[in-house]
Amino acid sequence: MAEFIQRYSLIFVSRVLFMKKKILIISTSLYGGGAEKVLVTLLRNIDYSLYEIHLNLEYDYGMSFEPIPKDVKVSFRYRDTEDWRSKIDYHLYSLFGINLFEPNRIKKVVDSEYDAIISFIEGKPLKYHRYVANRTQNNITWVHADLLTNHYTIGKTFTPKHEMEAYKLMSKVVFVSNNAKEQYENIFGVGTTNNYVLYNPIDKDGILRKARSYVPEICKNKTTLVAVGRLSKEKGFDRLLRVVHMLNTRGYEFDMWIVGDGAMKEELLEYKRSNGLTNVTFWGFQNPPYPWFIQADIFVSSSYTEAAPITICEAMTLGIPVVATKTAGAMELLEDGKWGLLSDHGDDSLFETIASLLDSPKMLSEYKKRAIKRSSFWGTENFLKQFYKLISNDCL
């Protein structure tokens, strides 16, 4: 009898020790921005012998990046943006602040218990996270935005009261930069949640491989500036075109490539036509954008607000000198100008900063070296170590 008990005790202990931890990650669709790209990088590097990953997305909207591993169990809250259920839920909350059906959307498609639940982006993922927060003792949420200058989650996604309640349900709040953490604490107060900083990972080998995998049909015979991102107001493409116009007027010879798509596309194209910006090319959304990066000479981030702009990290990984406006994220990534050039937010300042690089091949060469040196700071290995500590309830 003692031998029987000992034998099955060992089997039970072995199963407990080697049982995979079950993790739920809640996000938007995997189409679009930097945060989604970081999530895909994470999913492609997790050790699936130790972790069972469930991914809940808002829409079955297609994957804009590399396919995620088959080990990931994917569920969706809505079919697509035209799903009538999505529209009903949106209007009920945005007009009346009512969560009538939303809680059941996610409860019906995820399991009843997890070792950790992660809402990987602020806003809607956090909103749905709070409906299932009781299914784990380890609730983690990510903040990718500078909420002090771009508190976009308030209004149609959250009332201030509901957002505060959601954050207070979290065991940990993770920020992609120290500045993002400080801005959050300016809004919600210090000590209201357990806050950590974890820089976004950059898959350097993957980026280099993709950059060389395809050569766009481009006739490049001038110094080339490139800007990559969503064509939306906060990204500052409007002022970038104004600065291009200023540079053209002063006689600078260069090309400007814009890689991305978004709501401001027609407005930007109209500005290009009206002002004769024949040296500006809109390439649309490109997957991946790295072949355009690697052929350019200068990367420009003209944003009004950024918490941790991943495109800056990607440009530096490819050895592209960076000019960026003084957003919280850019200042931190570039260490106040040590690794790239920073501009104030006025058109004149951005003009002068870009012109300084166009005027000096020596400076351009120096910031190329600095970009490559800085890029070693962002790697997937350290990110994964910190991520595993978070979901294991260890302190960072």
Side-chain angles (χ1 to χ4, degrees):
M1 184 66 178
E3 184 179 342
F4 176 86
I5 293 172
Q6 182 180 21
R7 177 185 174 188
Y8 280 92
S9 293
L10 286 171
I11 292 173
F12 175 76
V13 170
S14 297
R15 285 180 176 174
V16 171
L17 288 175
F18 295 103
M19 189 179 295
K20 292 183 182 181
K21 289 186 178 293
K22 191 163 71 169
I23 313 299
L24 171 63
I25 300 176
I26 306 168
S27 190
T28 53
S29 68
L30 291 183
Y31 183 90
E36 291 86 352
K37 190 179 295 185
V38 171
L39 176 55
V40 172
T41 298
L42 169 62
L43 293 172
R44 292 183 63 82
N45 285 277
I46 284 176
D47 185 348
Y48 288 96
S49 68
L50 299 176
Y51 300 95
E52 177 185 330
I53 304 298
H54 294 207
L55 176 64
N56 180 259
L57 299 173
E58 184 171 15
Y59 300 116
D60 184 1
Y61 195 57
M63 309 295 181
S64 63
F65 309 111
E66 291 186 53
I68 60 175
K70 293 180 180 178
D71 303 88
V72 180
K73 178 183 176 183
V74 184
S75 61
F76 303 96
R77 300 189 289 279
Y78 305 104
R79 286 190 307 274
D80 52 40
T81 54
E82 297 304 312
D83 191 324
W84 61 270
R85 299 170 303 165
S86 172
K87 293 181 177 181
I88 287 174
D89 292 348
Y90 171 81
H91 289 299
L92 279 175
Y93 193 83
S94 62
L95 296 175
F96 307 109
I98 297 173
N99 305 309
L100 191 58
F101 305 111
E102 286 180 325
N104 287 328
R105 304 291 185 211
I106 188 168
K107 288 178 180 178
K108 289 194 300 186
V109 294
V110 303
D111 289 353
S112 60
E113 190 174 335
Y114 291 91
D115 292 286
I117 297 177
I118 300 166
S119 40
F120 199 73
I121 302 176
E122 67 283 341
K124 283 188 177 180
L126 174 62
K127 184 180 185 181
Y128 282 91
H129 187 162
R130 69 186 182 126
Y131 303 141
V132 292
N134 62 344
R135 299 188 179 189
T136 187
Q137 293 184 342
N138 190 13
N139 288 291
I140 306 165
T141 195
W142 245 257
V143 175
H144 294 262
D146 174 352
L147 292 178
L148 191 64
T149 61
N150 184 29
H151 203 162
Y152 74 95
T153 57
I154 291 297
K156 295 176 181 177
T157 301
F158 268 126
T159 64
K161 178 185 176 183
H162 286 163
E163 186 173 51
M164 175 62 88
E165 289 172 351
Y167 278 119
K168 284 185 175 180
L169 287 173
M170 298 297 110
S171 314
K172 309 177 186 82
V173 182
V174 181
F175 302 87
V176 294
S177 68
N178 283 297
N179 276 310
K181 174 176 172 288
E182 290 167 7
Q183 305 297 48
Y184 170 93
E185 290 173 346
N186 282 332
I187 298 171
F188 296 102
V190 177
T192 54
T193 55
N194 296 311
N195 299 339
Y196 302 89
V197 174
L198 185 53
Y199 289 105
N200 286 330
I202 298 295
D203 181 5
K204 186 172 183 177
D205 292 339
I207 288 173
L208 290 168
R209 184 180 68 254
K210 293 173 196 172
R212 296 166 181 149
S213 66
Y214 169 69
V215 180
E217 294 181 7
I218 297 171
C219 181
K220 182 182 183 308
N221 51 24
K222 298 178 185 176
T223 299
T224 303
L225 282 60
V226 66
V228 180
R230 185 174 59 255
L231 304 185
S232 54
K233 188 66 180 176
E234 71 274 10
K235 299 299 181 182
F237 285 104
D238 53 342
R239 74 164 152 207
L240 179 58
L241 290 189
R242 293 195 299 270
V243 169
V244 168
H245 185 42
M246 293 168 68
L247 289 164
N248 288 349
T249 302
R250 305 292 176 87
Y252 284 94
E253 291 285 330
F254 67 99
D255 285 322
M256 178 79 241
W257 296 346
I258 296 176
V259 181
D261 205 349
M264 287 190 70
K265 181 178 179 180
E266 289 306 317
E267 178 182 335
L268 297 171
L269 285 171
E270 177 56 34
Y271 185 91
K272 172 190 170 178
R273 287 190 291 266
S274 300
N275 292 277
L277 305 184
T278 56
N279 59 335
V280 176
T281 302
F282 286 84
W283 290 99
F285 176 78
Q286 298 293 334
N287 177 34
Y290 312 124
W292 281 261
F293 270 107
I294 205 168
Q295 293 199 53
D297 302 290
I298 301 169
F299 175 81
V300 183
S301 172
S302 54
S303 296
Y304 294 98
T305 177
E306 290 280 6
I310 195 169
T311 50
I312 287 180
C313 304
E314 291 170 334
M316 298 178 86
T317 295
L318 294 170
I320 314 299
V322 171
V323 172
T325 46
K326 288 182 179 178
T327 61
M331 292 172 69
E332 186 167 336
L333 294 176
L334 299 177
E335 290 193 354
D336 290 328
K338 180 178 179 180
W339 306 107
L341 277 72
L342 286 166
S343 154
D344 291 328
H345 282 278
D347 292 6
D348 288 342
S349 180
L350 185 56
F351 162 80
E352 290 166 4
T353 308
I354 293 173
S356 68
L357 273 185
L358 293 174
D359 286 333
S360 175
K362 184 178 179 180
M363 184 186 291
L364 196 62
S365 177
E366 172 60 26
Y367 276 99
K368 181 179 181 70
K369 294 175 187 175
R370 294 190 190 190
I372 293 170
K373 186 174 181 180
R374 177 58 164 166
S375 68
S376 62
F377 182 77
W378 304 289
T380 56
E381 187 176 342
N382 182 60
F383 177 87
L384 284 170
K385 286 179 181 176
Q386 302 302 311
F387 177 79
Y388 292 149
K389 285 184 178 180
L390 281 169
I391 60 180
S392 298
N393 249 339
D394 296 333
C395 294
L396 293 183

